[in-house]
Amino acid sequence: VHAKNLIHRDIKAANFLVGENWHVKLCDFGFSRSMGAAGDAMKAGAQMTLCGTDEWMAPETMMGLDYDQKADVFSFGMFLLEMSLRAEPKLRDPSKMYRFEEELYRRDAAKAGVPEGLIQVIVDCTRYEPADRPTMKEVLGVLKDLAKKQPDDTLDFVESSSDSELVEKKEKKDRHKHRDETDAEREKRRRREKKHDARERHRSRKDKDKDKESSEKREK
């Protein structure tokens, strides 16, 4: 988005679409606007309007000050916070100029087992001064580096792989996971999977029967 000289202005989890293979895309560009030619000045002041969602909004936006793409970086940091704690961010205190309370987040993140590297990315994105925040390109670079260090693929969402590549990656991981199984464990797993498939087929037949019954009732 920023590479195309745009500002989104409403980044939050609700505005991301997740495909069946965990391929994530940003959506809802209703508030997005084109930046000025220099990339740091708004066109005719149109981007100075207060828009977005309060809990994810940058302090400068909340206070009606001039803002640029670094406001998106702040919102992305709040989105990462949302994902890391699995809870929506709380409204920030206007008496503190809507500052992000780093110490409180670090405490909650430590309890939730959030990787230190990700905690630091979130803290950097949510700096009070826009100039102190990284660019989105820098943020994604750091996240990709972190993803490579995560053995459990907890940061796979930053990868720009195609769906087929993600499927192949998952299958490879599954093969590795099952490689060291004993024959007894492998047989037990297969029986469990077979039972699961049978239950799914049975549930599917029941759903079809219900749909057919409902259709017949409507026709009568």
Side-chain angles (χ1 to χ4, degrees), residues 171-216:
E171 289 175 346
K172 184 177 180 181
K173 182 182 176 182
D174 289 341
R175 286 196 300 270
H176 178 76
K177 183 173 68 175
H178 298 315
R179 187 176 58 191
D180 298 327
E181 286 181 328
T182 64
D183 290 341
E185 289 172 336
R186 189 176 297 109
E187 183 60 30
K188 185 177 180 180
R189 175 174 58 82
R190 287 173 177 169
R191 285 200 300 268
R192 187 167 58 246
E193 291 173 351
K194 192 174 181 180
K195 285 182 180 179
H196 174 75
D197 292 342
R199 283 197 300 269
E200 289 299 312
R201 287 195 297 271
H202 179 67
R203 187 179 294 116
S204 178
R205 284 197 298 270
K206 285 180 67 177
D207 290 341
K208 287 180 180 178
D209 290 341
K210 285 182 180 179
D211 291 341
K212 184 178 179 181
E213 185 178 339
S214 298
S215 178
E216 289 174 349

Side-chain angles (χ1 to χ4, degrees), residues 137-150:
K137 184 177 181 179
E138 291 169 336
V139 172
L140 292 177
V142 173
L143 289 176
K144 286 181 179 181
D145 288 340
L146 288 175
K148 294 174 183 177
K149 299 174 184 177
Q150 292 296 317

Side-chain angles (χ1 to χ4, degrees), residues 148-173:
K148 294 174 183 177
K149 299 174 184 177
Q150 292 296 317
D152 56 355
D153 298 329
T154 53
L155 295 177
D156 270 353
F157 65 91
V158 302
E159 296 290 352
S160 58
S161 307
S162 65
D163 287 354
S164 59
E165 288 173 330
L166 289 170
V167 170
E168 183 180 350
K169 185 176 182 180
K170 184 178 184 303
E171 289 175 346
K172 184 177 180 181
K173 182 182 176 182

Side-chain angles (χ1 to χ4, degrees), residues 59-182:
E60 61 270 23
T61 310
M62 294 289 289
M63 293 187 290
L65 304 175
D66 292 355
Y67 60 89
D68 57 16
Q69 291 174 328
K70 291 297 184 72
D72 274 354
V73 174
F74 186 97
S75 297
F76 187 73
M78 298 306 288
F79 156 70
L80 292 178
L81 176 150
E82 185 181 9
M83 295 294 96
S84 67
L85 297 182
R86 300 182 182 182
E88 292 187 354
K90 298 176 182 178
L91 281 170
R92 281 161 282 125
D93 190 346
S95 68
K96 296 180 180 179
M97 301 174 72
Y98 302 100
R99 290 177 183 273
F100 174 69
E101 298 192 47
E102 177 182 340
E103 293 307 315
L104 287 179
Y105 170 68
R106 285 188 179 276
R107 181 197 65 193
D108 293 340
K111 290 180 181 178
V114 181
E116 178 57 37
L118 182 56
I119 292 175
Q120 191 58 51
V121 171
I122 292 169
V123 169
D124 289 341
C125 286
T126 53
R127 299 289 183 194
Y128 180 75
E129 293 293 342
D132 293 336
R133 300 170 202 154
T135 64
M136 279 305 306
K137 184 177 181 179
E138 291 169 336
V139 172
L140 292 177
V142 173
L143 289 176
K144 286 181 179 181
D145 288 340
L146 288 175
K148 294 174 183 177
K149 299 174 184 177
Q150 292 296 317
D152 56 355
D153 298 329
T154 53
L155 295 177
D156 270 353
F157 65 91
V158 302
E159 296 290 352
S160 58
S161 307
S162 65
D163 287 354
S164 59
E165 288 173 330
L166 289 170
V167 170
E168 183 180 350
K169 185 176 182 180
K170 184 178 184 303
E171 289 175 346
K172 184 177 180 181
K173 182 182 176 182
D174 289 341
R175 286 196 300 270
H176 178 76
K177 183 173 68 175
H178 298 315
R179 187 176 58 191
D180 298 327
E181 286 181 328
T182 64

